[in-house]
Amino acid sequence: MKNSVRGLLLVTGGMIAGALISASLAAPERAARTVLPLDEIRQFTDIYGAVKQYYVDPVEDKKLMKEAISGMLQGLDPHSAYLDENAFNELQEGTTGEFGGLGLEVSSDPSGVKVISPIDDTPAARAHMRAGDIIFKIDGKIVKDLPLNDSVKMMRGKPDTPIELTVLRKGSSTPITVKLIRAVIKVKSVKSKALDDHMGYIRVSQFQERTASELAKALDALNKSGNLKNGLVLDLRNDPGGLLNAAIGVSAAFLPKGTLVVSTKGQTADAKKEFLTTPQDYQVVREDAAIAKLPAITKTMPIVVLVNGASASASEIVAGALQDHKRATIMGTKSFGKGSVQTVIPLRGEAKNTAIKLTTARYFTPSGRSIQAKGISPDVEVKDTAEGNFLDLDIREADLANHLEVPEAKDDKTKPASEVKSDASGIKETVEPISSKPKKAPKFYKYGDPDDYQLNQAIAYLKKEDAKKAQPAAGTQEIQLEGGIKMKIEPVK
């Protein structure tokens, strides 16, 4: 299973969960065209020699070269990195859904380690770690000056061993101490349940090699119980991403065969690709064939996709594809904006068990919108709670140091959630908050629970859409959704 990552694209918002396509270190014909910067190389060797001769303690050549490679990659963008043997093995294990640690998706930050997302049902989630938390001490050691890989290593360890994190959290005037017990992280990427009124709920917490096949099973079960008749809520909140193949497979469950899901653009010809809802683009395991055999209702039922500021990479690809093809209503808050491709390049010779993770392309939605540093804006904006957003879900890709800039070639066509939209029935709707003034501190909840505010708003939206199709309004109507959202429905003039 550890070698299954080779040949796969992995799209993710941070370091713990992964990497991308496998490639050779350097094609001979491309290497021959590379002009070496001789002045810069001389400068490097001068510094290298000075360190060897004058540093207070002797330093091994192997360590110096490793640190030089790490620094070169870290200075490019937040997602390029050197993977030593342990990091490379852990990356591969993460794509199969089982690995050791705390269950955090993280990125680098000038103050320490930034939490992109806690993973469902892990020590981090149970300890109420939140997206946007800054870990600045691990077991009492300040980590702001450490490479991210070193901080990740400190958080990993044998199962059942304790660890203490000191966390800076927006809205808290003092550091927070979080005590956790390490565990083997077994991530169940797809969860589902039947909802009332013949509706279904599916949550995808991470895109792994079996996510598409697990989604097919969940959809088939919901259909057999009659819980797709009036719609589906697809929950991608706090989903940090994962395998691109899985994102294509999930999209293929809801879109016709051969539909464009995402395209990539980079410096090389290999980086310029289009990915379609065809088995050759999404099938990883034999069970993925079930996607093509799903009942016809999965291509026509109403869908609401829930996203938030911690929905990144693969989850943004799915949301963007369903939004562009007008297959689903995107609800929630703006997504993270991680729209770049990383390639895992195994190294050669004595370093054959190590690799580099290198950003090689950007992602674009079917209509040509760049996801990078922009994210996916919802069609219907719904805050985390009736009282407003959680204070810590406002960290995006654009806030990370050295993030890739947004290309200027094509403007983002995403419209603000408050703009008017029309559907095939000739009805237009405007959805807006009744009041933006917070009443009290937001109450945290577990996704999918009965008190899940955004889920309840999605259910209410599907109910109103179903009622609207059954009996179109003759004149303007105002409908009250739960907890602070009103909907105006009127005929298009």
Side-chain angles (χ1 to χ4, degrees):
M1 295 297 288
K2 287 187 177 183
N3 291 327
S4 62
V5 73
R6 298 179 184 273
L8 301 179
L9 282 173
L10 175 69
V11 281
T12 178
M15 282 297 301
I16 290 184
L20 320 85
I21 34 180
S22 179
S24 60
L25 180 62
E29 62 271 17
R30 181 160 180 81
R33 294 196 302 269
T34 302
V35 178
L36 297 177
L38 296 180
D39 289 342
E40 285 77 8
I41 290 177
R42 289 191 189 97
Q43 184 182 44
F44 174 80
T45 57
D46 287 345
I47 295 172
Y48 191 95
V51 172
K52 289 289 291 183
Q53 185 172 357
Y54 299 115
Y55 188 69
V56 62
D57 295 316
V59 185
E60 293 183 356
D61 292 330
K62 195 172 185 179
K63 175 176 174 57
L64 282 177
M65 292 306 298
K66 175 184 173 181
E67 297 302 331
I69 293 170
S70 296
M72 176 170 58
L73 293 169
Q74 287 174 8
L76 295 175
D77 65 78
H79 309 293
S80 295
Y82 169 73
L83 306 175
D84 63 16
E85 187 171 353
N86 290 334
F88 192 27
N89 286 336
E90 289 165 357
L91 180 150
Q92 294 169 304
E93 291 168 0
T95 64
T96 66
E98 182 172 327
F99 52 94
L102 304 178
L104 284 172
E105 185 78 10
V106 299
S107 184
S108 58
D109 184 88
S111 300
V113 177
K114 181 175 293 181
V115 176
I116 301 300
S117 175
I119 300 171
D120 288 356
D121 301 322
T122 63
R126 289 189 287 270
H128 306 294
M129 293 289 291
R130 303 175 187 172
D133 282 350
I134 301 294
I135 301 168
F136 81 101
K137 284 185 181 181
I138 301 175
D139 284 334
K141 181 176 181 180
I142 295 175
V143 296
K144 72 181 184 68
D145 294 325
L146 288 180
L148 182 59
N149 281 347
D150 290 352
S151 298
V152 170
K153 287 179 186 176
M154 292 174 66
M155 289 187 280
R156 290 185 180 272
K158 293 182 179 180
D160 300 321
T161 58
I163 183 173
E164 182 178 285
L165 306 180
T166 307
V167 172
L168 302 175
R169 178 173 295 166
K170 187 173 180 179
S172 176
S173 58
T174 58
I176 299 170
T177 299
V178 182
K179 296 182 179 181
L180 307 95
I181 302 295
R182 296 181 180 92
V184 174
I185 308 300
K186 296 181 179 181
V187 179
K188 182 175 175 58
S189 69
V190 176
K191 297 179 182 178
S192 64
K193 68 176 182 178
L195 301 174
D196 293 337
D197 298 306
H198 303 289
M199 291 187 289
Y201 171 80
I202 294 180
R203 172 159 174 75
V204 180
S205 60
Q206 205 172 47
F207 286 82
Q208 301 170 352
E209 62 183 17
R210 295 189 177 274
T211 297
S213 59
E214 290 176 7
L215 176 78
K217 290 179 184 177
L219 286 169
D220 191 55
L222 288 171
N223 180 55
K224 288 178 179 177
S225 64
N227 288 95
L228 294 182
K229 180 181 177 182
N230 290 333
L232 173 76
V233 179
L234 178 63
D235 189 355
L236 302 180
R237 292 171 295 176
N238 277 31
D239 184 329
L243 295 172
L244 174 62
N245 308 68
I248 308 301
V250 169
S251 301
F254 308 114
L255 294 169
K257 184 178 180 180
T259 302
L260 177 63
V261 175
V262 69
S263 61
T264 61
K265 297 178 184 178
Q267 182 179 178
T268 66
D270 288 344
K272 299 176 176 67
K273 294 183 179 180
E274 291 187 342
F275 297 89
L276 311 177
T277 54
T278 55
Q280 56 264 38
D281 279 351
Y282 66 73
Q283 190 159 355
V284 178
V285 296
R286 188 181 355 176
E287 292 83 357
D288 286 345
I291 289 290
K293 301 175 183 178
L294 284 169
I297 192 173
T298 62
K299 304 295 191 294
T300 59
M301 65 191 178
I303 303 173
V304 171
V305 178
L306 292 175
V307 298
N308 65 6
S311 302
S313 284
S315 51
E316 294 177 288
I317 288 171
V318 173
L322 297 182
Q323 185 179 56
D324 277 6
H325 291 297
K326 303 187 186 305
R327 182 63 192 89
T329 298
I330 311 302
M331 181 179 287
T333 57
K334 190 174 182 178
S335 65
F336 183 77
K338 198 276 183 181
S340 60
V341 183
Q342 281 70 48
T343 301
V344 173
I345 305 177
L347 302 183
R348 300 175 296 188
E350 294 183 1
K352 64 182 180 180
N353 294 322
T354 66
I356 63 172
K357 185 175 68 164
L358 190 66
T359 299
T360 54
R362 291 180 175 89
Y363 284 112
F364 295 83
T365 70
S367 67
R369 293 180 295 155
S370 173
I371 296 172
Q372 175 59 23
K374 289 187 174 183
I376 301 298
S377 294
D379 300 307
V380 180
E381 183 175 5
V382 176
K383 304 297 185 182
D384 303 316
T385 73
E387 292 74 35
N389 273 339
F390 300 142
L391 293 175
D392 42 18
L393 286 183
D394 59 355
I395 305 297
R396 303 291 195 278
E397 172 80 9
D399 300 313
L400 302 182
N402 298 325
H403 71 270
L404 291 182
E405 296 297 330
V406 179
E408 298 295 336
K410 195 150 188 174
D411 292 335
D412 192 336
K413 297 179 181 178
T414 305
K415 293 183 178 180
S418 60
E419 288 192 12
V420 172
K421 63 176 183 175
S422 299
D423 63 21
S425 65
I427 302 297
K428 67 179 182 180
E429 60 179 326
T430 302
V431 181
E432 57 186 18
I434 287 181
S435 173
S436 60
K437 184 178 180 181
K439 299 176 183 178
K440 55 183 178 179
K443 177 186 176 183
F444 288 93
Y445 49 77
K446 186 177 180 181
Y447 295 144
D449 277 1
D451 59 348
D452 184 336
Y453 176 77
Q454 290 176 319
L455 172 58
N456 289 330
Q457 297 300 315
I459 293 170
Y461 184 89
L462 287 172
K463 287 181 180 178
K464 301 307 178 186
E465 288 293 295
D466 184 56
K468 185 171 65 176
K469 290 178 181 178
Q471 189 175 3
T476 300
Q477 287 187 330
E478 184 171 291
I479 299 174
Q480 180 80 32
L481 300 184
E482 296 178 13
I485 300 293
K486 68 179 180 180
M487 180 187 296
K488 294 178 182 177
I489 302 178
E490 59 187 37
V492 175
K493 297 180 180 179

